[in-house]
PDB file of all heavy atoms in Angstrom:
ATOM      1  N   PHE B   1       5.364 -13.852   4.487  1.00 96.00           N
ATOM      2  CA  PHE B   1       5.927 -12.666   3.836  1.00 96.00           C
ATOM      3  C   PHE B   1       4.820 -11.647   3.562  1.00 96.00           C
ATOM      4  O   PHE B   1       4.968 -10.455   3.828  1.00 96.00           O
ATOM      5  CB  PHE B   1       6.621 -13.072   2.542  1.00 96.00           C
ATOM      6  CG  PHE B   1       7.313 -11.947   1.828  1.00 96.00           C
ATOM      7  CD1 PHE B   1       8.628 -11.619   2.133  1.00 96.00           C
ATOM      8  CD2 PHE B   1       6.663 -11.210   0.841  1.00 96.00           C
ATOM      9  CE1 PHE B   1       9.279 -10.580   1.475  1.00 96.00           C
ATOM     10  CE2 PHE B   1       7.295 -10.175   0.185  1.00 96.00           C
ATOM     11  CZ  PHE B   1       8.615  -9.863   0.502  1.00 96.00           C
ATOM     12  N   ASP B   2       3.695 -12.120   3.039  1.00 97.00           N
ATOM     13  CA  ASP B   2       2.562 -11.239   2.747  1.00 97.00           C
ATOM     14  C   ASP B   2       1.989 -10.643   4.035  1.00 97.00           C
ATOM     15  O   ASP B   2       1.579  -9.471   4.060  1.00 97.00           O
ATOM     16  CB  ASP B   2       1.465 -12.005   2.003  1.00 97.00           C
ATOM     17  CG  ASP B   2       1.885 -12.397   0.597  1.00 97.00           C
ATOM     18  OD1 ASP B   2       2.845 -11.783   0.075  1.00 97.00           O
ATOM     19  OD2 ASP B   2       1.273 -13.321   0.026  1.00 97.00           O
ATOM     20  N   GLU B   3       1.950 -11.458   5.083  1.00 97.00           N
ATOM     21  CA  GLU B   3       1.425 -10.985   6.370  1.00 97.00           C
ATOM     22  C   GLU B   3       2.278  -9.832   6.901  1.00 97.00           C
ATOM     23  O   GLU B   3       1.755  -8.835   7.404  1.00 97.00           O
ATOM     24  CB  GLU B   3       1.422 -12.135   7.378  1.00 97.00           C
ATOM     25  CG  GLU B   3       0.763 -11.817   8.702  1.00 97.00           C
ATOM     26  CD  GLU B   3      -0.749 -11.685   8.608  1.00 97.00           C
ATOM     27  OE1 GLU B   3      -1.326 -12.143   7.591  1.00 97.00           O
ATOM     28  OE2 GLU B   3      -1.346 -11.110   9.533  1.00 97.00           O
ATOM     29  N   TRP B   4       3.590  -9.969   6.751  1.00 97.00           N
ATOM     30  CA  TRP B   4       4.486  -8.916   7.220  1.00 97.00           C
ATOM     31  C   TRP B   4       4.306  -7.631   6.412  1.00 97.00           C
ATOM     32  O   TRP B   4       4.287  -6.533   6.981  1.00 97.00           O
ATOM     33  CB  TRP B   4       5.938  -9.393   7.144  1.00 97.00           C
ATOM     34  CG  TRP B   4       6.910  -8.390   7.696  1.00 97.00           C
ATOM     35  CD1 TRP B   4       7.751  -7.563   7.009  1.00 97.00           C
ATOM     36  CD2 TRP B   4       7.109  -8.085   9.079  1.00 97.00           C
ATOM     37  NE1 TRP B   4       8.467  -6.764   7.867  1.00 97.00           N
ATOM     38  CE2 TRP B   4       8.093  -7.064   9.150  1.00 97.00           C
ATOM     39  CE3 TRP B   4       6.552  -8.571  10.262  1.00 97.00           C
ATOM     40  CZ2 TRP B   4       8.530  -6.535  10.361  1.00 97.00           C
ATOM     41  CZ3 TRP B   4       6.988  -8.040  11.472  1.00 97.00           C
ATOM     42  CH2 TRP B   4       7.965  -7.044  11.511  1.00 97.00           C
ATOM     43  N   HIS B   5       4.146  -7.767   5.115  1.00 96.00           N
ATOM     44  CA  HIS B   5       3.990  -6.576   4.286  1.00 96.00           C
ATOM     45  C   HIS B   5       2.626  -5.928   4.477  1.00 96.00           C
ATOM     46  O   HIS B   5       2.469  -4.728   4.252  1.00 96.00           O
ATOM     47  CB  HIS B   5       4.266  -6.910   2.821  1.00 96.00           C
ATOM     48  CG  HIS B   5       5.742  -6.943   2.526  1.00 96.00           C
ATOM     49  ND1 HIS B   5       6.431  -5.849   2.066  1.00 96.00           N
ATOM     50  CD2 HIS B   5       6.652  -7.927   2.703  1.00 96.00           C
ATOM     51  CE1 HIS B   5       7.709  -6.162   1.940  1.00 96.00           C
ATOM     52  NE2 HIS B   5       7.866  -7.410   2.320  1.00 96.00           N
ATOM     53  N   SER B   6       1.681  -6.703   4.924  1.00 97.00           N
ATOM     54  CA  SER B   6       0.401  -6.118   5.309  1.00 97.00           C
ATOM     55  C   SER B   6       0.576  -5.246   6.555  1.00 97.00           C
ATOM     56  O   SER B   6       0.016  -4.147   6.643  1.00 97.00           O
ATOM     57  CB  SER B   6      -0.617  -7.224   5.599  1.00 97.00           C
ATOM     58  OG  SER B   6      -1.813  -6.686   6.130  1.00 97.00           O
ATOM     59  N   LEU B   7       1.390  -5.719   7.482  1.00 97.00           N
ATOM     60  CA  LEU B   7       1.689  -4.935   8.683  1.00 97.00           C
ATOM     61  C   LEU B   7       2.477  -3.675   8.321  1.00 97.00           C
ATOM     62  O   LEU B   7       2.253  -2.603   8.894  1.00 97.00           O
ATOM     63  CB  LEU B   7       2.487  -5.782   9.679  1.00 97.00           C
ATOM     64  CG  LEU B   7       1.753  -6.983  10.298  1.00 97.00           C
ATOM     65  CD1 LEU B   7       2.716  -7.820  11.127  1.00 97.00           C
ATOM     66  CD2 LEU B   7       0.587  -6.511  11.163  1.00 97.00           C
ATOM     67  N   ARG B   8       3.397  -3.801   7.361  1.00 96.00           N
ATOM     68  CA  ARG B   8       4.167  -2.644   6.926  1.00 96.00           C
ATOM     69  C   ARG B   8       3.233  -1.570   6.351  1.00 96.00           C
ATOM     70  O   ARG B   8       3.400  -0.376   6.636  1.00 96.00           O
ATOM     71  CB  ARG B   8       5.200  -3.069   5.881  1.00 96.00           C
ATOM     72  CG  ARG B   8       6.120  -1.931   5.421  1.00 96.00           C
ATOM     73  CD  ARG B   8       6.969  -2.359   4.233  1.00 96.00           C
ATOM     74  NE  ARG B   8       7.957  -3.358   4.571  1.00 96.00           N
ATOM     75  CZ  ARG B   8       9.211  -3.077   4.944  1.00 96.00           C
ATOM     76  NH1 ARG B   8       9.617  -1.823   5.028  1.00 96.00           N
ATOM     77  NH2 ARG B   8      10.054  -4.044   5.230  1.00 96.00           N
ATOM     78  N   TYR B   9       2.263  -2.007   5.542  1.00 97.00           N
ATOM     79  CA  TYR B   9       1.311  -1.067   4.941  1.00 97.00           C
ATOM     80  C   TYR B   9       0.500  -0.366   6.033  1.00 97.00           C
ATOM     81  O   TYR B   9       0.305   0.858   5.998  1.00 97.00           O
ATOM     82  CB  TYR B   9       0.373  -1.806   3.988  1.00 97.00           C
ATOM     83  CG  TYR B   9      -0.704  -0.924   3.413  1.00 97.00           C
ATOM     84  CD1 TYR B   9      -0.433  -0.050   2.351  1.00 97.00           C
ATOM     85  CD2 TYR B   9      -1.998  -0.953   3.932  1.00 97.00           C
ATOM     86  CE1 TYR B   9      -1.421   0.775   1.841  1.00 97.00           C
ATOM     87  CE2 TYR B   9      -2.991  -0.131   3.431  1.00 97.00           C
ATOM     88  CZ  TYR B   9      -2.701   0.734   2.375  1.00 97.00           C
ATOM     89  OH  TYR B   9      -3.681   1.552   1.873  1.00 97.00           O
ATOM     90  N   ARG B  10       0.054  -1.123   7.026  1.00 97.00           N
ATOM     91  CA  ARG B  10      -0.740  -0.541   8.114  1.00 97.00           C
ATOM     92  C   ARG B  10       0.078   0.471   8.914  1.00 97.00           C
ATOM     93  O   ARG B  10      -0.406   1.552   9.270  1.00 97.00           O
ATOM     94  CB  ARG B  10      -1.266  -1.647   9.028  1.00 97.00           C
ATOM     95  CG  ARG B  10      -2.381  -2.486   8.397  1.00 97.00           C
ATOM     96  CD  ARG B  10      -2.616  -3.781   9.167  1.00 97.00           C
ATOM     97  NE  ARG B  10      -2.938  -3.565  10.567  1.00 97.00           N
ATOM     98  CZ  ARG B  10      -3.048  -4.548  11.463  1.00 97.00           C
ATOM     99  NH1 ARG B  10      -2.868  -5.822  11.078  1.00 97.00           N
ATOM    100  NH2 ARG B  10      -3.340  -4.285  12.716  1.00 97.00           N
ATOM    101  N   ALA B  11       1.341   0.122   9.161  1.00 97.00           N
ATOM    102  CA  ALA B  11       2.202   1.025   9.936  1.00 97.00           C
ATOM    103  C   ALA B  11       2.454   2.321   9.181  1.00 97.00           C
ATOM    104  O   ALA B  11       2.392   3.416   9.758  1.00 97.00           O
ATOM    105  CB  ALA B  11       3.519   0.329  10.258  1.00 97.00           C
ATOM    106  N   GLN B  12       2.732   2.214   7.879  1.00 96.00           N
ATOM    107  CA  GLN B  12       3.024   3.395   7.085  1.00 96.00           C
ATOM    108  C   GLN B  12       1.769   4.187   6.738  1.00 96.00           C
ATOM    109  O   GLN B  12       1.863   5.322   6.272  1.00 96.00           O
ATOM    110  CB  GLN B  12       3.788   2.992   5.825  1.00 96.00           C
ATOM    111  CG  GLN B  12       5.162   2.429   6.139  1.00 96.00           C
ATOM    112  CD  GLN B  12       5.971   2.101   4.900  1.00 96.00           C
ATOM    113  OE1 GLN B  12       5.657   2.531   3.802  1.00 96.00           O
ATOM    114  NE2 GLN B  12       7.046   1.330   5.082  1.00 96.00           N
ATOM    115  N   SER B  13       0.613   3.593   7.009  1.00 96.00           N
ATOM    116  CA  SER B  13      -0.653   4.314   6.810  1.00 96.00           C
ATOM    117  C   SER B  13      -1.081   5.050   8.074  1.00 96.00           C
ATOM    118  O   SER B  13      -2.137   5.680   8.093  1.00 96.00           O
ATOM    119  CB  SER B  13      -1.753   3.331   6.393  1.00 96.00           C
ATOM    120  OG  SER B  13      -1.441   2.742   5.147  1.00 96.00           O
ATOM    121  N   GLY B  14      -0.262   4.922   9.123  1.00 95.00           N
ATOM    122  CA  GLY B  14      -0.531   5.690  10.337  1.00 95.00           C
ATOM    123  C   GLY B  14      -0.990   4.893  11.529  1.00 95.00           C
ATOM    124  O   GLY B  14      -1.193   5.450  12.612  1.00 95.00           O
ATOM    125  N   GLU B  15      -1.143   3.571  11.388  1.00 96.00           N
ATOM    126  CA  GLU B  15      -1.575   2.768  12.523  1.00 96.00           C
ATOM    127  C   GLU B  15      -0.434   2.661  13.537  1.00 96.00           C
ATOM    128  O   GLU B  15       0.735   2.529  13.182  1.00 96.00           O
ATOM    129  CB  GLU B  15      -2.000   1.374  12.055  1.00 96.00           C
ATOM    130  CG  GLU B  15      -2.781   0.596  13.092  1.00 96.00           C
ATOM    131  CD  GLU B  15      -3.460  -0.638  12.514  1.00 96.00           C
ATOM    132  OE1 GLU B  15      -3.542  -0.751  11.267  1.00 96.00           O
ATOM    133  OE2 GLU B  15      -3.891  -1.488  13.305  1.00 96.00           O
ATOM    134  N   SER B  16      -0.757   2.714  14.800  1.00 95.00           N
ATOM    135  CA  SER B  16       0.239   2.695  15.867  1.00 95.00           C
ATOM    136  C   SER B  16       1.046   1.395  15.871  1.00 95.00           C
ATOM    137  O   SER B  16       0.484   0.300  15.748  1.00 95.00           O
ATOM    138  CB  SER B  16      -0.456   2.856  17.223  1.00 95.00           C
ATOM    139  OG  SER B  16       0.384   2.480  18.273  1.00 95.00           O
ATOM    140  N   LEU B  17       2.370   1.530  16.007  1.00 96.00           N
ATOM    141  CA  LEU B  17       3.212   0.335  16.108  1.00 96.00           C
ATOM    142  C   LEU B  17       2.858  -0.483  17.340  1.00 96.00           C
ATOM    143  O   LEU B  17       2.931  -1.715  17.318  1.00 96.00           O
ATOM    144  CB  LEU B  17       4.691   0.737  16.163  1.00 96.00           C
ATOM    145  CG  LEU B  17       5.344   1.254  14.883  1.00 96.00           C
ATOM    146  CD1 LEU B  17       6.810   1.587  15.136  1.00 96.00           C
ATOM    147  CD2 LEU B  17       5.225   0.233  13.751  1.00 96.00           C
ATOM    148  N   THR B  18       2.503   0.204  18.425  1.00 95.00           N
ATOM    149  CA  THR B  18       2.130  -0.512  19.645  1.00 95.00           C
ATOM    150  C   THR B  18       0.881  -1.352  19.415  1.00 95.00           C
ATOM    151  O   THR B  18       0.772  -2.472  19.938  1.00 95.00           O
ATOM    152  CB  THR B  18       1.895   0.496  20.793  1.00 95.00           C
ATOM    153  OG1 THR B  18       3.080   1.262  20.991  1.00 95.00           O
ATOM    154  CG2 THR B  18       1.546  -0.224  22.080  1.00 95.00           C
ATOM    155  N   LYS B  19      -0.025  -0.844  18.597  1.00 96.00           N
ATOM    156  CA  LYS B  19      -1.264  -1.585  18.331  1.00 96.00           C
ATOM    157  C   LYS B  19      -1.003  -2.855  17.535  1.00 96.00           C
ATOM    158  O   LYS B  19      -1.607  -3.902  17.787  1.00 96.00           O
ATOM    159  CB  LYS B  19      -2.244  -0.677  17.577  1.00 96.00           C
ATOM    160  CG  LYS B  19      -3.595  -1.335  17.303  1.00 96.00           C
ATOM    161  CD  LYS B  19      -4.534  -0.352  16.631  1.00 96.00           C
ATOM    162  CE  LYS B  19      -5.887  -0.997  16.350  1.00 96.00           C
ATOM    163  NZ  LYS B  19      -6.809  -0.057  15.674  1.00 96.00           N
ATOM    164  N   ILE B  20      -0.069  -2.780  16.565  1.00 97.00           N
ATOM    165  CA  ILE B  20       0.191  -3.959  15.734  1.00 97.00           C
ATOM    166  C   ILE B  20       1.341  -4.805  16.287  1.00 97.00           C
ATOM    167  O   ILE B  20       1.717  -5.805  15.677  1.00 97.00           O
ATOM    168  CB  ILE B  20       0.503  -3.552  14.278  1.00 97.00           C
ATOM    169  CG1 ILE B  20       1.821  -2.762  14.202  1.00 97.00           C
ATOM    170  CG2 ILE B  20      -0.642  -2.773  13.678  1.00 97.00           C
ATOM    171  CD1 ILE B  20       2.196  -2.401  12.785  1.00 97.00           C
ATOM    172  N   MET B  21       1.880  -4.415  17.444  1.00 97.00           N
ATOM    173  CA  MET B  21       3.021  -5.120  18.018  1.00 97.00           C
ATOM    174  C   MET B  21       2.772  -6.616  18.234  1.00 97.00           C
ATOM    175  O   MET B  21       3.629  -7.439  17.865  1.00 97.00           O
ATOM    176  CB  MET B  21       3.448  -4.463  19.338  1.00 97.00           C
ATOM    177  CG  MET B  21       4.651  -5.113  20.005  1.00 97.00           C
ATOM    178  SD  MET B  21       5.293  -4.100  21.374  1.00 97.00           S
ATOM    179  CE  MET B  21       3.876  -4.165  22.500  1.00 97.00           C
ATOM    180  N   PRO B  22       1.658  -7.053  18.810  1.00 97.00           N
ATOM    181  CA  PRO B  22       1.462  -8.490  18.991  1.00 97.00           C
ATOM    182  C   PRO B  22       1.515  -9.273  17.681  1.00 97.00           C
ATOM    183  O   PRO B  22       2.145 -10.338  17.605  1.00 97.00           O
ATOM    184  CB  PRO B  22       0.081  -8.581  19.644  1.00 97.00           C
ATOM    185  CG  PRO B  22      -0.100  -7.263  20.317  1.00 97.00           C
ATOM    186  CD  PRO B  22       0.558  -6.271  19.423  1.00 97.00           C
ATOM    187  N   GLU B  23       0.881  -8.741  16.638  1.00 98.00           N
ATOM    188  CA  GLU B  23       0.899  -9.424  15.345  1.00 98.00           C
ATOM    189  C   GLU B  23       2.309  -9.448  14.750  1.00 98.00           C
ATOM    190  O   GLU B  23       2.756 -10.459  14.208  1.00 98.00           O
ATOM    191  CB  GLU B  23      -0.058  -8.720  14.376  1.00 98.00           C
ATOM    192  CG  GLU B  23      -1.516  -8.783  14.808  1.00 98.00           C
ATOM    193  CD  GLU B  23      -2.381  -7.842  13.986  1.00 98.00           C
ATOM    194  OE1 GLU B  23      -2.816  -8.245  12.894  1.00 98.00           O
ATOM    195  OE2 GLU B  23      -2.597  -6.698  14.438  1.00 98.00           O
ATOM    196  N   ALA B  24       3.003  -8.307  14.869  1.00 98.00           N
ATOM    197  CA  ALA B  24       4.362  -8.223  14.321  1.00 98.00           C
ATOM    198  C   ALA B  24       5.299  -9.183  15.034  1.00 98.00           C
ATOM    199  O   ALA B  24       6.072  -9.915  14.400  1.00 98.00           O
ATOM    200  CB  ALA B  24       4.881  -6.791  14.432  1.00 98.00           C
ATOM    201  N   PHE B  25       5.243  -9.211  16.358  1.00 98.00           N
ATOM    202  CA  PHE B  25       6.116 -10.103  17.123  1.00 98.00           C
ATOM    203  C   PHE B  25       5.804 -11.567  16.839  1.00 98.00           C
ATOM    204  O   PHE B  25       6.699 -12.415  16.847  1.00 98.00           O
ATOM    205  CB  PHE B  25       5.988  -9.814  18.618  1.00 98.00           C
ATOM    206  CG  PHE B  25       6.787  -8.621  19.074  1.00 98.00           C
ATOM    207  CD1 PHE B  25       7.403  -7.768  18.162  1.00 98.00           C
ATOM    208  CD2 PHE B  25       6.943  -8.345  20.424  1.00 98.00           C
ATOM    209  CE1 PHE B  25       8.140  -6.671  18.580  1.00 98.00           C
ATOM    210  CE2 PHE B  25       7.687  -7.257  20.858  1.00 98.00           C
ATOM    211  CZ  PHE B  25       8.274  -6.413  19.931  1.00 98.00           C
ATOM    212  N   ALA B  26       4.533 -11.860  16.572  1.00 98.00           N
ATOM    213  CA  ALA B  26       4.158 -13.241  16.250  1.00 98.00           C
ATOM    214  C   ALA B  26       4.792 -13.668  14.930  1.00 98.00           C
ATOM    215  O   ALA B  26       5.326 -14.783  14.813  1.00 98.00           O
ATOM    216  CB  ALA B  26       2.636 -13.368  16.188  1.00 98.00           C
ATOM    217  N   VAL B  27       4.744 -12.797  13.925  1.00 98.00           N
ATOM    218  CA  VAL B  27       5.342 -13.119  12.621  1.00 98.00           C
ATOM    219  C   VAL B  27       6.856 -13.272  12.752  1.00 98.00           C
ATOM    220  O   VAL B  27       7.449 -14.238  12.251  1.00 98.00           O
ATOM    221  CB  VAL B  27       5.013 -12.023  11.580  1.00 98.00           C
ATOM    222  CG1 VAL B  27       5.760 -12.299  10.267  1.00 98.00           C
ATOM    223  CG2 VAL B  27       3.512 -11.960  11.322  1.00 98.00           C
ATOM    224  N   VAL B  28       7.505 -12.329  13.431  1.00 98.00           N
ATOM    225  CA  VAL B  28       8.965 -12.391  13.588  1.00 98.00           C
ATOM    226  C   VAL B  28       9.358 -13.644  14.364  1.00 98.00           C
ATOM    227  O   VAL B  28      10.331 -14.327  14.020  1.00 98.00           O
ATOM    228  CB  VAL B  28       9.489 -11.126  14.302  1.00 98.00           C
ATOM    229  CG1 VAL B  28      10.993 -11.244  14.554  1.00 98.00           C
ATOM    230  CG2 VAL B  28       9.195  -9.882  13.476  1.00 98.00           C
TER     231      VAL B  28
END
């Protein structure tokens, strides 16, 4: 849960979704 919200923070801070896609797909 914390890992996902860390990704949410990075995405909303301007980091590219494509860049964090591997990490996001791994969590999901």
Side-chain angles (χ1 to χ4, degrees):
F1 184 88
D2 292 341
E3 186 71 16
W4 184 256
H5 279 267
S6 173
L7 294 173
R8 183 189 292 268
Y9 175 79
R10 288 165 57 187
Q12 294 184 15
S13 297
E15 194 167 346
S16 164
L17 288 181
T18 302
K19 183 177 180 181
I20 66 177
M21 181 169 64
E23 296 168 85
F25 280 9
V27 174
V28 176

